[in-house]
Amino acid sequence: MVCSQEHLHTGGAMQEKMLWGALSILRVIWCLAPQKGYLHPDEFFQSPEVIAGDILDLEINRPWEFHSAFPCRTVLIPLMTSGTAFWIINFLQRLGFEMAFNYSYLLLVLPRLIITLLSFLLDYTVHQVAPVWACNPWKALVLLAMSPVTLVFYTRTFGNAVEGVLFALLLLLIKPGNSNPESNSTNSKDHHFIGLVLTVGFFNRPTFLCFALAPLIYWAAQRGSRGSCASHTMLILTLMKTVPSVVLLSGLFVLADTIYYTGHWPLSVTGRESFIKQLMKNTILTPINFLHYNMNPENLAQHGVHPRITHIAVNGFMLFGLCHLFAVSSAFKMLRTLIWSKCNPDKSHYERPPQQASLLLMFYFVPLMSLSFFKHQEPRFLIPLIVPLVLLVSNYNSAMKTKCVIVLFNVTGALFFGCLHQAGLIPSLIHIQQTVQPKFTSSNMSCHHTVLFTHTYMPPLYLLNLKKGQTSVDIIDLAGCNKDLMCQKLRGLQEELSLRNTQVLGRKYHLRAVFPGSITTVIKSCGLAYKDEVLFTPHLSMEDPPKMCDLLSGNLESHLSLHVIEVDVGTTMG
């Protein structure tokens, strides 16, 4: 009987290993496919859009966080991720290989591939720490690999994905030295690596301190308990051991950011100013600027203000589904047990949860509740929590129905975020890039293209592969403007370009409009004639979702597509 149980356990573990392997291959293949879904503008505008302009000299739309007047983002992290990909592309260009590749494809996929490869550090961390926290390693790895958070968010160039990788590394560094979580065995040099992770995480996103708080306290308590007494003083002294590496690496980040944003060394300005004044005047501290900006409620209001329960009541379920419900349920059970034990010290009606589970709950809920103090709450802010979550859930013995619900949720989430959400925009940019590349007819007539985007996410210009200073393409982004302004702008452009076509010899002017199918009737009401239309399906804009009556009218493809029309410049409908 025992042998039979061992055989079943071994067979189950082998199946989980094979499933994890298949899902890992899927993660890479889906990155290379590539995924067409567009999750959030930050996946482009906090990394590849900026670095493509610096390394490849492409036309870009530099976001406000990277303006030299008040920079809020370090440049080192994007340089190490997207920069690595673009240096490879630049090297291929120098070798003359660029014509052998789809250039827009490389611009899109290579930065994503860097993040996808880094995401496997999450898998490594789960495999290493699961036995220490008395978790099922291969079940946790399967939960990690099949999650839409891993398949979609961790294959995109988000700063949150880098934050998640660093959080996983921190959990790896603070784990006890053997399978006993109460063990005091640890590497004497860990504090240097922990300091490095803390610094990189803080400069990447200052919110990393919310994720690092609980693991740091646990690590310091374990290290401090090796002394004669575990006290607050020992806790602080242990944490202070990370200071040298934090100071050293912080200096490197500050130096790099200062050179990037000001163009000179912090102390390169000579004059009668004192040393301190020169240092204060010329030094760029991007995390401080980030915190200063986000502490202003008026600034946060521009990006959206949410109820403080949004993370725990909405975003957690949106990202993790039933796994988040299991964590919330476990937290309530733990609190109930603690309250019962305090009120009834002589009774043990409720069984106290294992220490490992309690710690994992802390690693999950301390960051979640800390981030909830900020009124701007987006789902992607929580993606670093997937590692402690899958470790926690891996010990649940779920029924078959529960497993089916989890699989269904994961498949639906992956398809929605990876294949449907704003999914027509990136293919449309690649199509437009092939259309607007400078072409000359036999009569040497050049072309000028004006492309207007409306009711879509902000288009990343670097995918158009336009060199800086070019004058052949103008990109206009109207965002979510109202009907009157949109029609006024389209008619004005049509009249202006029509006039230019009659007055400017040797140049042909074109006008294209890009919009979701849900506002097709609005575009038609503008009274424009167009001679060409291309649909990119599927495309779903949650900011302008199609009405149910439109979906049931039989024209499903049109309403779930992104439309690219070429306006017939010089003619209007009567």
Side-chain angles (χ1 to χ4, degrees):
M1 186 68 170
V2 174
C3 294
S4 177
Q5 290 178 348
E6 290 180 352
H7 177 74
L8 288 174
H9 176 75
T10 304
M14 181 59 66
Q15 291 178 353
E16 290 168 346
K17 290 179 182 180
M18 294 177 63
L19 181 56
W20 172 81
L23 290 168
S24 299
I25 294 173
L26 174 63
R27 192 188 317 176
V28 176
I29 292 177
W30 208 17
C31 168
L32 299 175
Q35 294 179 27
K36 297 179 180 179
Y38 186 167
L39 299 178
H40 190 279
D42 283 357
E43 69 173 286
F44 294 106
F45 289 91
Q46 288 184 2
S47 187
E49 176 79 358
V50 177
I51 304 304
D54 296 329
I55 296 179
L56 300 176
D57 199 36
L58 296 180
E59 189 82 29
I60 64 168
N61 181 7
R62 184 172 291 272
W64 62 270
E65 298 103 319
F66 289 88
H67 286 170
S68 58
F70 193 74
C72 296
R73 299 284 181 182
T74 183
V75 72
L76 270 186
I77 304 298
L79 278 176
M80 288 188 289
T81 52
S82 296
T84 301
F86 293 147
W87 277 318
I88 294 173
I89 293 176
N90 196 26
F91 178 71
L92 292 175
Q93 283 182 320
R94 294 179 182 276
L95 294 179
F97 289 139
E98 70 271 15
M99 297 304 294
F101 301 97
N102 184 325
Y103 201 70
S104 292
Y105 172 83
L106 289 181
L107 291 173
L108 174 67
V109 167
L110 276 188
R112 288 182 174 181
L113 183 60
I114 300 295
I115 299 297
T116 302
L117 295 177
L118 287 176
S119 74
F120 282 97
L121 288 174
L122 274 67
D123 301 72
Y124 178 75
T125 296
V126 168
H127 183 266
Q128 292 297 310
V129 306
V132 175
W133 299 110
C135 300
N136 185 326
W138 289 107
K139 185 176 179 181
L141 282 169
V142 170
L143 288 170
L144 173 70
M146 73 187 303
S147 170
V149 171
T150 305
L151 290 171
V152 181
F153 287 85
Y154 276 99
T155 59
R156 306 298 181 90
T157 46
F158 280 117
N160 309 93
V162 176
E163 187 175 42
V165 171
L166 293 170
F167 183 47
L169 290 177
L170 182 61
L171 294 178
L172 181 64
L173 289 170
I174 62 98
K175 77 178 180 72
N178 54 43
S179 60
N180 179 10
E182 298 181 352
S183 171
N184 294 322
S185 174
T186 185
N187 192 324
S188 61
K189 296 182 180 180
D190 279 353
H191 57 271
H192 294 307
F193 296 107
I194 290 174
L196 294 177
V197 170
L198 287 176
T199 306
V200 177
F202 181 66
F203 274 84
N204 175 61
R205 288 183 61 86
T207 54
F208 183 72
L209 296 183
C210 297
F211 295 94
L213 178 61
L216 272 182
I217 293 175
Y218 168 75
W219 169 75
Q222 293 295 303
R223 291 291 298 269
S225 64
R226 295 196 305 174
S228 57
C229 62
S231 65
H232 292 90
T233 303
M234 289 298 299
L235 195 73
I236 295 173
L237 290 176
T238 302
L239 291 174
M240 290 295 291
K241 292 182 180 180
T242 64
V243 171
S245 54
V246 168
V247 172
L248 182 64
L249 192 56
S250 294
L252 177 62
F253 271 93
V254 171
L255 180 63
D257 289 336
T258 300
I259 295 174
Y260 179 80
Y261 288 111
T262 66
H264 53 70
W265 292 73
L267 299 177
S268 63
V269 180
T270 59
R272 297 182 179 180
E273 292 181 311
S274 66
F275 175 84
I276 298 298
K277 284 185 177 180
Q278 286 193 44
L279 195 64
M280 295 295 292
K281 181 179 179 181
N282 300 303
T283 301
I284 300 296
L285 300 173
T286 53
I288 303 303
N289 292 344
F290 177 95
L291 292 172
H292 183 266
Y293 179 89
N294 285 280
M295 291 299 178
N296 188 336
E298 295 181 358
N299 293 334
L300 288 183
Q302 298 177 17
H303 303 276
V305 175
H306 309 94
R308 286 194 167 91
I309 64 169
T310 301
H311 277 325
I312 192 169
V314 179
N315 294 339
F317 289 102
M318 186 183 301
L319 290 176
F320 306 122
L322 280 183
C323 293
H324 178 68
L325 180 62
F326 290 153
V328 173
S329 174
S330 298
F332 275 117
K333 289 179 181 178
M334 184 182 72
L335 289 174
R336 183 180 61 181
T337 301
L338 291 175
I339 294 172
W340 176 267
S341 62
K342 291 291 184 181
C343 298
N344 303 275
D346 298 329
K347 298 180 180 180
S348 56
H349 180 71
Y350 294 110
E351 182 181 354
R352 185 177 295 273
Q355 182 187 13
Q356 299 96 327
S358 300
L359 287 169
L360 289 173
L361 283 171
M362 284 182 56
F363 296 160
Y364 184 76
F365 279 102
V366 169
L368 191 151
M369 301 310 294
S370 300
L371 292 172
S372 297
F373 282 105
F374 301 95
K375 288 189 175 181
H376 180 58
Q377 301 185 16
E378 297 182 22
R380 61 191 173 92
F381 295 167
L382 301 183
I383 66 172
L385 296 177
I386 191 170
V387 170
L389 182 62
V390 299
L391 290 170
L392 182 67
V393 177
S394 66
N395 284 334
Y396 277 85
N397 293 318
S398 304
M400 181 58 65
K401 290 183 178 180
T402 303
K403 293 179 181 179
C404 291
V405 172
I406 292 176
V407 171
L408 180 62
F409 170 84
N410 290 338
V411 171
T412 303
L415 292 177
F416 175 78
F417 289 116
C419 301
L420 185 59
H421 186 257
Q422 292 278 344
L425 187 58
I426 301 304
S428 74
L429 284 169
I430 296 175
H431 167 77
I432 292 170
Q433 183 264 333
Q434 297 170 350
T435 303
V436 303
Q437 286 301 310
K439 297 177 182 178
F440 296 90
T441 63
S442 57
S443 59
N444 289 330
M445 177 177 287
S446 62
C447 294
H448 181 279
H449 299 270
T450 300
V451 185
L452 183 144
F453 291 84
T454 183
H455 291 258
T456 68
Y457 277 177
M458 189 185 305
L461 301 187
Y462 81 100
L463 292 177
L464 295 176
N465 189 27
L466 302 171
K467 291 296 182 181
K468 285 182 180 178
Q470 60 83 30
T471 59
S472 62
V473 180
D474 288 331
I475 303 296
I476 301 173
D477 183 16
L478 295 184
C481 68
N482 59 48
K483 170 187 173 182
D484 294 335
L485 178 60
M486 183 169 54
C487 289
Q488 179 183 352
K489 186 68 175 179
L490 280 168
R491 292 195 192 101
L493 284 171
Q494 185 188 40
E495 293 173 4
E496 178 185 349
L497 297 180
S498 177
L499 184 62
R500 289 186 184 181
N501 275 333
T502 60
Q503 294 180 345
V504 180
L505 299 178
R507 192 163 215 190
K508 176 66 175 176
Y509 289 86
H510 299 270
L511 173 61
R512 285 178 173 82
V514 184
F515 56 91
S518 55
I519 65 166
T520 302
T521 55
V522 177
I523 296 294
K524 289 182 178 179
S525 69
C526 294
L528 301 171
Y530 50 91
K531 55 186 178 182
D532 187 27
E533 182 176 19
V534 181
L535 302 184
F536 294 92
T537 307
H539 178 93
L540 177 63
S541 171
M542 297 307 295
E543 289 73 18
D544 296 281
K547 298 178 181 179
M548 185 58 65
C549 59
D550 293 331
L551 294 177
L552 297 177
S553 65
N555 199 5
L556 187 64
E557 181 182 8
S558 176
H559 291 287
L560 290 179
S561 297
L562 187 73
H563 296 239
V564 179
I565 63 171
E566 182 175 0
V567 178
D568 192 356
V569 177
T571 63
T572 57
M573 294 173 65

